[in-house]
Amino acid sequence: MADLPSIANNPDVRFLGKMLGDVIRAYGGELLFKRTEYIRAASVDRHRGVAGGEVDLGLGSLSLDETLDFVRGFMLFSMLANLAEDRHGVTAEKGADVASALARLEGEGIDKAQVMALLDHALIAPVLTAHPTEVRRKSMIDHRNRIAELMALKDAGLSETPDGDDVDEAIYRQIALLWQTRVLRRERLYVTDEVETALSYLRDVFLPTLPALYQRWDRALGERAPSFLRPGSWIGGDRDGNPFVTADSLRTALGKSCEAVIGYYLEALSGLGAELSISSDLASVDASVIALAEASGDTGPSRSDEPYRRALTGVYARLAATHLTLTGKPAPRLASVKGEPYPDPQAFRADLVAIARALRAGGSGALSSGGALGRLIRAVETFGFHLATLDMRQNSAVHERVVAELLKVAGVEADYLALSESQRVSLLRHELSNARPLTSPFAEYSDETNSELAIARAAAEAHATYGPGCITNYIVSMAQSVSDLLEINVLLKEVGLYRPGDAPTAAIMAVPLFETIGDLEAAPAIMTEWFALPEAGAITRARGYQEVMIGYSDSNKDGGYLTSTWSLSKASTALKAVFERAGIGMQLFHGRGGAVGRGGGSSFAAIRAQPTGTVQGRIRITEQGEVIAGKYGTRESAMINLEAMTSAALLASLEPDPIAPADQARFSAAMDRISDAAFTAYRDLVYGTEGFRTFFRQMTPLTEIAGLNIGSRPASRTKSDRIEDLRAIPWVFSWAQARVMLPGWYGVGQALSSFEDKGLLVEMAQSWPFFAAMLGNMEQVMAKSDMGIAERYAALVEDPALASAIFPRIRDGWQVTYDTLLTATGQSHLLEKHPALDASIRLRLPYIEPLNMLQIELIKRRRAGEEDERVGQGILLSINAIATALRNSG
């Protein structure tokens, strides 16, 4: 890969920026253009050091209407700069592709046969979630993607679109549409909205992209790889803290996915029918295709000598009947003959494979290798009739209450919640040993219990309708005991998804989610106890693996960035030993967010930095909020990011440990001490400082963020104002808006500065992928933070004494983190070793500062009681614009 260009010299930034200026002049007026341009130039000069002393940015001269327009303009520039950056590969990482990974492995003595052996049982799954961190409306993203498509035409040297439009004029029109498109959502999102948004990515990007990627990987491997990369989703099945996700939500998510994927297959079959015009007069045709043609019912005389077309007519008819059966709707294009619906995707695939094998028999086999037919077969293997595997998730406390009610109403146990853990386990195991249901159609249950039972029944219906691949995991949030997992199986037994017997079976796997620092520390003991249960051991051994989910967001909020990161690594290592003793494969599900404070950062570096032996070819990773559009907004970006995830998983699974055991022991001992110090510093500030929760809520736009309408679930788990009850997303989002980024670094500097052996820190930064990745992610966060701007936010705190008692601790903590980070990495300034990323962030800073200044003033006016709706609208626009410029929210 060639050296990456400096974003500051990116011609796309200049081209798109000029067009945006022209649009503002044309649609906003010359005065708005001149004022916006003055603010832009003055802020850029200030950041370049061209102007000495204080620079008047001219923000005070803006009226409220002009403020709204100005904020929109700066937000759109950031969006277009992001587009230019993505197009020029600034976010792509060197060596983060499968071909490079295979070459690296070969150089280390690991051949392609070993890679194929790993892929035979591998699973790599990006899992889309509806976590509310995407501030942009889908309409804005759609216009942005259209501009990207038009810019690709310019790259190809074309001056006209296929429709005959001038490319530059078409780009101008899209930017003009952006300028006149409402930025803010007027209503809170509903679950159905979130389902539709996710479906657009799965249908428009994943469906066409993954088969094309597999063709590339097959060429690199020299043979056809198994379909090991498959997307997942939480949207419509994640009920943890979201009362709006119901059984109907689950049915809607799966039904729309089924309709989309079968519709895609039908369109592909139509294309194949047009393509495979082979005449039996000119080519020999295998008996299997003749049989499909004869059974199709296609007797059209014009196709009498075209058995492949006749065969595909029958296949299309059967799939159209499948569409009607599964969705209740006729196919978009009706079949010309009648057909019986396919019982499952495997039967559909079998017909396609028969056609491919027949094509392979003639000539050199070129007609069957790859091509549209090969991509369709790959799609069916990957997406089935369900498109993406839907996870179910609920909090363990809900399951406890529901099971307690079922046991009480059934007359089994009057007070399950009062039982000890050992008593609960004994009782639940007894219930799982027999097929007798606990529920009765004649009994009355609470709304909560009825809702949870309805979800379970909907899951059973989905298995019967779409096949077992549609739902495979049931995630238990806040899992803290074995009984939490047994309770899931009791609920599944009620609907036939858990079946007792000498060899019990569970069609859906209970997956514990360990989230807090304490939960991560307890995870190995809980899993040891789980595997020791005969029924649990039998189920997991029959499946061949067990998944464990580890949470980044809540562990960070609980213990700070460094302690969270280290605790996740230690828990993974400890779990590996537990799984090895049990003889069961381990599959870790990483609950990462977009921001570094929620586990964000480079997926390629993060996967490669996992402890040796913990990936094992199986890994699932959440993709949420603004990350989804950033990674999977276009086919090009999706291919880059899916390549990076796959190549990193191959390297993490097969490469030998880069660290010698003795060094690993030294580094781990050092990290234990550093983590303890960081934990103490973080907890002392966040949870041990009187008035901190008030300081946080008044310094940051936490309250105002709630008005963005970016998700369907509440921001807090309860009505209290405790930080413990606040969700991690608004916690991280608020600190980012105030340019503090506290969850991504606080406590690290104090810990590193108090560690005596600075030479060891340098050695760890140079030699240990885990430590290097941790510091690298933190470095990006610190480069986006600004303590000068943060101090202005601190002035929003009503009690000056409270602000002056707490903010200096944050500012001093940032400085010591900055100093120790540079010492450990051997740099003179942040991102010195990453010039492209440094230039990318520096490009944005002059555009973010005026937005911060305006946001602060608008918040002051709003909190002082000013009721002009434009003030509130300006705050929300500024939040949107800052999040867009920072490229992450929460």
Side-chain angles (χ1 to χ4, degrees):
M1 182 180 294
D3 290 340
L4 295 173
S6 169
I7 190 74
N9 298 321
N10 189 327
D12 286 357
V13 172
R14 295 195 299 271
F15 173 77
L16 293 171
K18 181 182 182 304
M19 276 208 171
L20 175 61
D22 292 342
V23 165
I24 292 174
R25 180 188 282 115
Y27 290 89
E30 187 69 26
L31 180 60
L32 175 65
F33 171 76
K34 286 183 175 178
R35 286 186 171 176
T36 300
E37 179 60 20
Y38 172 80
I39 295 169
R40 185 200 69 80
S43 188
V44 169
D45 287 346
R46 180 179 180 278
H47 275 264
R48 288 177 176 171
V50 174
E54 280 292 318
V55 177
D56 180 11
L57 298 180
L59 298 174
S61 67
L62 297 175
S63 68
L64 271 177
D65 287 331
E66 289 172 332
T67 294
L68 299 183
D69 287 338
F70 165 78
V71 172
R72 282 195 301 122
F74 267 39
M75 183 212 68
L76 290 180
F77 174 80
S78 296
M79 177 183 284
L80 294 172
N82 293 347
L83 184 157
E85 184 175 283
D86 293 341
R87 279 173 35 78
H88 283 261
V90 171
T91 55
E93 296 172 83
K94 189 173 183 180
D97 59 274
V98 169
S100 296
L102 293 174
R104 183 183 180 98
L105 290 170
E106 186 176 5
E108 294 171 346
I110 300 164
D111 60 23
K112 291 179 181 176
Q114 291 170 277
V115 175
M116 288 298 295
L118 176 79
L119 294 179
D120 280 340
H121 66 269
L123 173 68
I124 299 172
V127 181
L128 309 186
T129 81
H131 285 29
T133 60
E134 174 57 86
V135 294
R136 298 168 298 177
R137 291 178 62 213
K138 186 65 167 56
S139 297
M140 303 288 289
I141 297 172
D142 288 343
H143 287 306
R144 181 256 189 214
N145 290 344
R146 179 57 182 153
I147 294 171
E149 293 170 0
L150 292 166
M151 293 294 287
L153 295 180
K154 281 178 69 72
D155 293 342
L158 301 177
S159 59
E160 286 188 358
T161 70
D163 297 324
D165 292 333
D166 179 85
V167 170
D168 285 2
E169 290 178 2
I171 293 171
Y172 181 90
R173 281 196 295 273
Q174 288 298 318
I175 295 176
L177 288 168
L178 272 173
W179 176 253
Q180 297 178 97
T181 297
R182 176 168 41 84
V183 175
L184 300 174
R185 299 183 180 94
R186 287 182 173 166
E187 297 178 342
R188 181 170 291 278
L189 285 175
Y190 294 99
V191 177
T192 51
D193 299 320
E194 294 168 337
V195 168
E196 289 287 356
T197 298
L199 187 61
S200 70
Y201 292 105
L202 292 166
R203 178 190 60 234
D204 302 336
V205 178
F206 279 86
L207 258 173
T209 298
L210 268 176
L213 265 179
Y214 275 115
Q215 287 188 319
R216 179 190 299 176
W217 296 339
D218 290 346
R219 289 192 296 270
L221 288 163
E223 59 182 302
R224 193 176 190 276
S227 298
F228 59 88
L229 198 156
R230 299 189 293 276
S233 174
W234 277 13
I235 305 170
D238 176 15
R239 312 188 305 291
D240 183 18
N242 192 339
F244 306 110
V245 175
T246 63
D248 285 341
S249 302
L250 186 143
R251 292 189 184 97
T252 297
L254 289 170
K256 287 182 175 294
S257 293
C258 176
E259 185 176 348
V261 74
I262 296 183
Y264 177 86
Y265 297 157
L266 288 168
E267 191 67 28
L269 285 173
S270 294
L272 280 172
E275 179 180 302
L276 294 181
S277 56
I278 298 169
S279 170
S280 56
D281 294 341
L282 301 174
S284 60
V285 180
D286 188 84
S288 61
V289 172
I290 297 295
L292 284 173
E294 292 300 318
S296 70
D298 183 355
T299 58
S302 64
R303 292 182 297 278
S304 61
D305 67 327
E306 296 175 340
Y308 285 96
R309 280 181 166 169
R310 293 172 57 214
L312 287 168
T313 298
V315 172
Y316 186 97
R318 293 195 66 185
L319 192 63
T322 307
H323 187 284
L324 179 61
T325 299
L326 297 186
T327 70
K329 302 176 183 178
R333 185 183 304 167
L334 296 179
S336 58
V337 298
K338 290 186 178 181
E340 290 295 316
Y342 284 109
D344 51 46
Q346 291 73 32
F348 173 40
R349 178 187 177 277
D351 282 353
L352 297 176
V353 169
I355 294 172
R357 285 176 176 163
L359 288 169
R360 186 182 301 129
S364 62
L367 293 179
S368 71
S369 59
L373 178 57
R375 290 192 294 274
L376 178 56
I377 292 171
R378 178 67 79 175
V380 177
E381 289 177 3
T382 304
F383 303 104
F385 288 159
H386 59 276
L387 183 56
T389 299
L390 182 65
D391 287 355
M392 300 167 68
R393 183 171 81 131
Q394 182 57 284
N395 195 287
S396 61
V398 174
H399 299 141
E400 288 178 352
R401 294 193 295 268
V402 169
V403 169
E405 183 174 2
L406 293 180
L407 291 168
K408 182 178 181 179
V409 172
V412 175
E413 171 55 54
D415 194 355
Y416 171 77
L417 297 179
L419 299 181
S420 66
E421 172 63 11
S422 62
Q423 290 173 322
R424 289 187 183 188
V425 169
S426 178
L427 175 57
L428 295 172
R429 289 186 64 201
H430 176 73
E431 286 301 318
L432 290 171
S433 68
N434 65 80
R436 170 188 52 79
L438 284 170
T439 53
S440 167
F442 309 107
E444 293 187 3
Y445 301 101
S446 65
D447 290 343
E448 181 177 62
T449 294
N450 280 325
S451 177
E452 294 302 308
L453 290 173
I455 282 276
R457 293 187 191 106
E461 292 168 12
H463 269 228
T465 303
Y466 308 111
C470 67
I471 303 173
T472 59
N473 301 314
Y474 194 138
I475 297 160
V476 187
S477 298
M478 301 304 291
Q480 297 174 332
S481 64
V482 165
S483 62
D484 290 337
L485 301 180
L486 291 172
E487 287 160 1
I488 291 295
N489 286 304
V490 167
L491 293 175
L492 294 176
K493 193 193 79 168
E494 291 300 303
V495 296
L497 292 174
Y498 179 100
R499 295 186 180 277
D502 294 335
T505 60
I508 295 177
M509 174 171 48
V511 176
L513 167 50
F514 301 111
E515 299 177 81
T516 66
I517 302 298
D519 290 345
L520 289 167
E521 292 172 347
I526 292 173
M527 296 312 298
T528 298
E529 187 179 347
W530 175 246
F531 292 141
L533 298 179
E535 53 271 72
I539 292 168
T540 51
R541 288 186 182 89
R543 186 184 296 115
Y545 66 94
Q546 166 70 44
E547 179 170 286
V548 171
M549 185 172 185
I550 50 179
Y552 289 63
S553 303
D554 284 294
S555 61
N556 184 297
K557 186 163 69 74
D558 183 36
Y561 172 62
L562 189 145
T563 301
S564 166
T565 307
W566 181 232
S567 297
L568 289 160
S569 179
K570 287 209 302 180
S572 300
T573 301
L575 285 168
K576 171 177 169 278
V578 171
F579 277 71
E580 286 176 347
R581 287 195 296 270
I584 293 168
M586 182 170 73
Q587 177 172 297
L588 289 181
F589 186 8
H590 297 262
R592 305 176 81 225
V596 169
R598 296 187 54 244
S602 162
S603 294
F604 182 69
I607 295 172
R608 292 199 64 195
Q610 292 303 305
T612 301
T614 60
V615 177
Q616 302 175 8
R618 302 190 69 91
I619 188 169
R620 296 207 304 151
I621 300 175
T622 54
E623 304 282 27
Q624 45 195 265
E626 78 282 9
V627 171
I628 297 175
K631 286 187 174 183
Y632 309 112
T634 65
R635 287 189 60 182
E636 291 73 22
S637 61
M639 292 186 89
I640 288 172
N641 286 286
L642 293 171
E643 277 263 21
M645 184 182 296
T646 302
S647 58
L650 291 177
L651 292 170
S653 300
L654 294 171
E655 274 194 306
D657 194 336
I659 307 297
D663 289 337
Q664 182 70 57
R666 285 192 304 126
F667 296 167
S668 296
M671 272 304 300
D672 282 338
R673 292 168 55 197
I674 295 167
S675 176
D676 288 345
F679 180 81
T680 299
Y682 175 85
R683 294 285 303 188
D684 183 53
L685 174 72
V686 175
Y687 298 104
T689 300
E690 186 175 354
F692 185 83
R693 75 175 75 166
T694 300
F695 170 86
F696 161 63
R697 288 178 178 272
Q698 293 181 0
M699 174 185 172
T700 71
L702 173 68
T703 304
E704 290 77 11
I705 286 171
L708 274 175
N709 295 326
I710 58 177
S712 65
R713 73 177 188 177
S716 186
R717 290 185 171 89
T718 69
K719 293 182 179 181
S720 85
D721 67 349
R722 299 192 322 149
I723 291 171
E724 292 91 333
D725 296 325
L726 182 69
R727 293 193 179 278
I729 288 170
W731 167 253
V732 174
F733 203 153
S734 302
W735 286 118
Q737 288 285 309
R739 302 294 297 286
V740 181
M741 314 284 190
L742 182 139
W745 58 267
Y746 193 83
V748 180
Q750 296 93 319
L752 295 181
S753 65
S754 65
F755 189 76
E756 303 85 357
D757 192 345
K758 299 299 190 289
L760 180 57
L761 295 180
V762 173
E763 183 183 356
M764 291 161 63
Q766 293 175 344
S767 307
W768 194 13
F770 164 81
F771 198 65
M774 186 200 72
L775 293 182
N777 288 334
M778 187 176 76
E779 189 175 359
Q780 295 180 46
V781 166
M782 299 196 72
K784 294 180 180 179
S785 62
D786 187 313
M787 288 301 107
I789 294 174
E791 189 167 10
R792 294 175 182 254
Y793 277 91
L796 292 171
V797 177
E798 295 173 9
D799 182 356
L802 180 63
S804 62
I806 295 178
F807 182 74
R809 292 174 61 185
I810 296 174
R811 182 188 59 218
D812 295 346
W814 186 94
Q815 188 62 51
V816 72
T817 305
Y818 173 88
D819 294 338
T820 53
L821 174 63
L822 294 185
T823 299
T825 57
Q827 299 179 110
S828 61
H829 61 81
L830 294 176
L831 299 174
E832 181 179 0
K833 296 179 179 178
H834 306 280
L837 182 58
D838 182 39
S840 167
I841 292 174
R842 286 177 183 274
L843 172 74
R844 286 166 173 71
L845 294 180
Y847 295 83
I848 304 175
E849 181 174 343
L851 295 170
N852 286 124
M853 298 301 100
L854 284 172
Q855 185 182 90
I856 291 167
E857 291 306 310
L858 291 170
I859 289 174
K860 283 181 182 178
R861 292 167 67 170
R862 184 73 166 183
R863 293 179 182 177
E866 190 165 339
E867 296 182 355
D868 191 316
E869 65 177 15
R870 292 173 297 176
V871 174
Q873 188 179 7
I875 294 170
L876 297 181
L877 276 172
S878 69
I879 292 171
N880 189 300
I882 292 167
T884 300
L886 290 173
R887 299 213 73 172
N888 56 50
S889 316

